[in-house]
Amino acid sequence: MLFTSYQFIAFVIISLILYYLVPKKLQWIVLLCMNTLFYVYAGISGIIFIVTTIVTTFFGAVSINNEKEKCADYLTQQKDVLTKEQKKDYKLTSVRKQKIYLALPLIINFGILAVLKYTNLFIVTFTSFNTVDFILPMGISFYTFQSTGYLVDVYRGIAEVQKNPFRYALFVSFFPQLVQGPISRWNDLKTCLFEYHDFSWSKIQSGLERMLWGYFKKMVIADRAAIGLATIQSDCQTYYGAYAFVGMILYAIDLYADFTGGIDITIGVAEMFGIKLPENFKRPFFSKNIAEYWRRWHITLCAWFKDYLFYPISMSKWMNKLSKKLKNTVGKAVGSRFPVYFSSLTVWFVTGIWHGASWNFVVWGLLNSLIMLISQEFKPLYDKADKKFGYRKFKYYKVFEIIRTTAIVCSLQMLDYYRNISEAFKMFFSMFTSGNYYEVFTKGMWNIGISMPDYIVIAIGVLIIFIVSMLQRKCSIRQRLSQNNYCVRYVVFLLLFLAIVVFGTYGIGYESSQFIYNQF
C-alpha cells in the first residue's frame, strides 16, 4: 500500500475514525488491528516473519527480565548465607543465562534477514548456482532493528520489559513507520502509544500539514526528477560525461525529496493519532563534513548502528586486549586508533550491505568510512593551518565546506544508482574527461524525459525546500505559521495542496514510483 495511493489515504481516514470513536482504553487495540490489516494487505506471506520477530524478541526480553529478577531475589534472600565468591559465581551464571536469552533471538532474526536479503549475493559471488526468488517482507530491516534494539535495551537495563505481547506487537508493527522508518526506541514510544488520546483538530491539522509537505516533495519533485534519472541510467554508452553530472544532481534531489517526503508523511500520520515519532533528518545538505552529514541524515539508523554496533565492538573486552597488544608490538599510535578504525569500517560495511545486497553498496559504505577516518587523521594539520592563517573565521569558507561535502556525497551516491562498481567509477571519471557539456546543456538535457517546464518545477521545488530549511533552523515552519492568523496559514497550505494537484507526477494509468527506501 503505497503512501501515494488512494488506498492509503482511505486506510488512514478509516483508522482515524475508528481510533477516536472507540472508548479510549481500546484505542491501542484498534491501532494494532489496523497494523495487522496494513501488513496483510502488503502480502499475507510476510506475516510469518514479523510474527516470528515479535514472538522471539518478546519472549527473549521477558526471559532476560525474569532471570534478572530471580537473581536479585535470590541474592537478597541469601545475602547472609552466601560468601562473596558464591554471590559472584551466582551473578556470573545468571549473566550467562541472560546472554543466551539475548543471543538466541538475535541469531534467529538476523539469520532470517541475512537469508532473505543476502543469499543471492552469496550465490552470485561464491557459487555458480542459480539465484533464489525469496519473498522479502515489507519493512523487515526496520522492524528487525527496532525490535532487537528493544531486546538489547532490556538486557542492558535501560528499558523496562513489556509483559503484554499485544502491546509489544503494536510497538514493532506501527504501520506508518513500518515502510521506511524512522527506527524508534521503546523508551520513546512506550507512553504515547498506549496513553489515551482525545480528538484534537489541531493535531489533525498539524499532521495533515506535515503530510502535504511530504507529498509535495515526493510527487512534485522526486518523481519528476526520477524520470530523467531513469533515462540516464538506462544507457551508459549514450549518457556519459555531462549526462552523468546531470544524473548525479538529479539523484541527489530525487533521493532527498523522496526519503524526507516519505518520513514527513510517516510523522504526519502518527501525529494525527497523537503519537510522536523521532525526526530522521536535520538539514543534511548544510553539513560541513561527511561525519556531520551522517549525523543529520537518517538519524535513527545512524544512531542505531552507533549504539548497538560501534560501541559494543570498540569497547568490548577482546578489543581492549587487542588494542593493548598492538600498542606493545606495533606502537601506541596504531594500538590506540585500531578500535575506532576497525569499528568504523565494520559499521560502514554493515551500513552498506544494509542498503542493498550488492557489492556496490559495500564499496559505497567503506568509502564513506575511509573519507571520515582520513579527515580525522588530518584534523591536527587542519587545526594547525587554521591557527596560522585563520581561514575558518571567514564566512565563505563555511560555504566552501558545505559545497565540498555535498559534492563528495553526490559523487559517492553514484555507486548507489548505477549499481555496478566499474560502471559507477567509469561514469564518475567521464564527467571530467568528456567534452559533451556544451551539447548536453544546449539540447541533450531536454531529451531525457524532462522538459523545460519540468526543470523549472524541480528548481522552484528545490528552492522552496532550501528556504524552508533556512527558516526551520530555529523553529518549525508550522509553528511560525501557527502564530499567524488562520487566513495566512490556510492560504499557504492551500497553495501547497494545489501545487501537488497541478504539478504532481500522476495521472490516468500512472502509478507513483515506489519510495526508494522501501527496498531496504
Side-chain angles (χ1 to χ4, degrees):
M1 194 183 300
L2 291 175
F3 279 4
T4 49
S5 67
Y6 294 123
Q7 293 95 325
F8 179 76
I9 301 298
F11 182 84
V12 170
I13 292 172
I14 293 170
S15 300
L16 285 168
I17 292 171
L18 293 174
Y19 187 75
Y20 286 112
L21 279 181
V22 301
K24 292 183 177 63
K25 65 180 180 180
L26 300 179
Q27 284 180 329
W28 73 271
I29 297 176
V30 169
L31 208 50
L32 178 60
C33 292
M34 300 312 291
N35 292 346
T36 305
L37 288 175
F38 186 83
Y39 211 86
V40 168
Y41 185 90
I44 196 167
S45 57
I47 287 289
I48 187 173
F49 296 106
I50 192 170
V51 169
T52 299
T53 295
I54 290 169
V55 170
T56 54
T57 53
F58 172 79
F59 283 107
V62 169
S63 299
I64 290 170
N65 183 72
N66 289 344
E67 181 58 37
K68 285 184 176 183
E69 291 179 347
K70 177 185 174 183
C71 179
D73 291 343
Y74 179 80
L75 292 176
T76 300
Q77 294 169 5
Q78 303 294 324
K79 64 179 180 179
D80 297 328
V81 178
L82 299 174
T83 65
K84 187 176 180 180
E85 286 299 317
Q86 289 174 323
K87 290 178 181 178
K88 184 179 178 181
D89 289 341
Y90 190 84
K91 286 180 182 179
L92 287 174
T93 302
S94 178
V95 169
R96 290 192 195 102
K97 290 180 180 179
Q98 292 172 42
K99 287 182 177 179
I100 292 172
Y101 298 142
L102 171 68
L104 287 176
L106 292 180
I107 291 170
I108 292 170
N109 285 283
F110 284 110
I112 291 172
L113 184 63
V115 168
L116 294 182
K117 287 191 73 171
Y118 307 115
T119 296
N120 286 334
L121 177 62
F122 178 84
I123 290 173
V124 171
T125 305
F126 300 107
T127 75
S128 57
F129 298 122
N130 293 327
T131 56
V132 184
D133 292 328
F134 283 119
I135 296 171
L136 195 62
M138 179 180 65
I140 184 171
S141 295
F142 293 102
Y143 70 67
T144 298
F145 277 32
Q146 184 157 308
S147 57
T148 54
Y150 158 80
L151 179 67
V152 174
D153 285 348
V154 171
Y155 172 78
R156 291 175 175 174
I158 60 178
E160 293 181 3
V161 71
Q162 171 54 251
K163 296 186 178 181
N164 185 322
F166 298 104
R167 285 177 178 261
Y168 175 67
L170 174 58
F171 164 72
V172 177
S173 65
F174 185 44
F175 78 89
Q177 66 176 25
L178 199 59
V179 177
Q180 57 182 349
I183 300 169
S184 300
R185 306 289 177 96
W186 171 252
N187 285 343
D188 295 331
L189 290 188
K190 66 179 181 181
T191 301
C192 64
L193 270 178
F194 308 110
E195 66 185 1
Y196 299 163
H197 294 112
D198 294 315
F199 177 83
S200 167
W201 174 243
S202 63
K203 284 192 297 189
I204 300 295
Q205 180 176 288
S206 182
L208 280 172
E209 290 168 353
R210 186 71 182 260
M211 287 178 69
L212 274 177
W213 181 231
Y215 282 121
F216 173 79
K217 290 181 186 177
K218 168 63 175 172
M219 298 179 69
V220 177
I221 304 172
D223 286 353
R224 183 170 268 100
I227 296 170
L229 180 66
T231 303
I232 292 171
Q233 286 177 278
S234 66
D235 185 359
C236 292
Q237 299 300 318
T238 302
Y239 302 107
Y240 61 92
Y243 284 114
F245 177 77
V246 173
M248 182 180 73
I249 301 301
L250 286 177
Y251 185 72
I253 294 170
D254 181 20
L255 181 61
Y256 179 78
D258 184 285
F259 193 17
T260 61
I263 293 297
D264 287 329
I265 295 169
T266 295
I267 292 175
V269 171
E271 193 171 337
M272 288 193 287
F273 289 98
I275 296 165
K276 183 177 176 58
L277 295 180
E279 293 292 340
N280 219 23
F281 293 90
K282 189 179 180 181
R283 300 178 296 280
F285 286 105
F286 286 82
S287 305
K288 295 184 285 295
N289 55 63
I290 298 296
E292 182 184 354
Y293 173 86
W294 285 109
R295 289 194 297 270
R296 293 166 172 259
W297 177 281
H298 209 340
I299 296 169
T300 57
L301 176 68
C302 295
W304 195 97
F305 278 125
K306 180 184 71 175
D307 293 341
Y308 301 112
L309 192 58
F310 179 84
Y311 287 138
I313 293 175
S314 62
M315 300 176 71
S316 62
K317 291 181 179 179
W318 66 267
M319 181 60 76
N320 287 332
K321 291 179 181 178
L322 182 58
S323 176
K324 289 179 181 178
K325 188 174 181 180
L326 289 171
K327 286 178 183 178
N328 295 329
T329 56
V330 183
K332 187 176 180 180
V334 175
S336 59
R337 286 174 170 81
F338 183 80
V340 173
Y341 281 29
F342 180 83
S343 302
S344 295
L345 289 168
T346 301
V347 166
W348 280 98
F349 173 86
V350 175
T351 303
I353 206 76
W354 179 88
H355 277 82
S358 56
W359 292 109
N360 60 299
F361 285 108
V362 174
V363 173
W364 167 84
L366 293 177
L367 283 175
N368 271 283
S369 182
L370 285 172
I371 290 170
M372 284 186 278
L373 292 175
I374 291 170
S375 178
Q376 183 177 316
E377 282 300 306
F378 278 93
K379 189 178 183 301
L381 185 63
Y382 299 151
D383 293 340
K384 188 176 180 180
D386 178 57
K387 189 175 181 180
K388 184 175 182 179
F389 300 106
Y391 56 85
R392 285 177 177 165
K393 67 182 179 182
F394 296 111
K395 184 178 180 180
Y396 293 110
Y397 180 74
K398 293 181 180 179
V399 175
F400 161 75
E401 287 182 303
I402 291 171
I403 294 172
R404 177 195 62 192
T405 302
T406 301
I408 294 172
V409 168
C410 292
S411 298
L412 292 174
Q413 285 175 348
M414 295 179 78
L415 283 160
D416 183 347
Y417 62 86
Y418 278 115
R419 302 297 174 96
N420 180 284
I421 298 171
S422 60
E423 197 173 79
F425 279 102
K426 181 181 177 182
M427 290 301 102
F428 173 76
F429 288 113
S430 76
M431 293 192 298
F432 304 97
T433 59
S434 173
N436 65 346
Y437 276 82
Y438 178 79
E439 175 191 348
V440 171
F441 285 108
T442 52
K443 57 181 181 180
M445 61 189 297
W446 320 116
N447 298 322
I448 60 172
I450 304 179
S451 63
M452 172 65 84
D454 288 323
Y455 280 111
I456 292 172
V457 171
I458 292 171
I460 292 173
V462 171
L463 180 61
I464 291 172
I465 290 176
F466 174 79
I467 292 171
V468 170
S469 296
M470 292 293 288
L471 292 173
Q472 290 198 146
R473 286 182 297 176
K474 292 185 178 180
C475 73
S476 165
I477 192 73
R478 288 182 296 166
Q479 284 183 294
R480 289 173 179 266
L481 288 171
S482 65
Q483 294 167 4
N484 290 287
N485 60 53
Y486 281 100
C487 289
V488 173
R489 189 174 187 178
Y490 284 125
V491 165
V492 169
F493 286 99
L494 177 61
L495 290 173
L496 192 62
F497 175 75
L498 291 174
I500 297 168
V501 172
V502 175
F503 299 109
T505 309
Y506 64 94
I508 297 174
Y510 177 81
E511 182 179 348
S512 181
S513 61
Q514 184 74 283
F515 282 87
I516 295 172
Y517 263 69
N518 286 11
Q519 65 187 298
F520 305 140

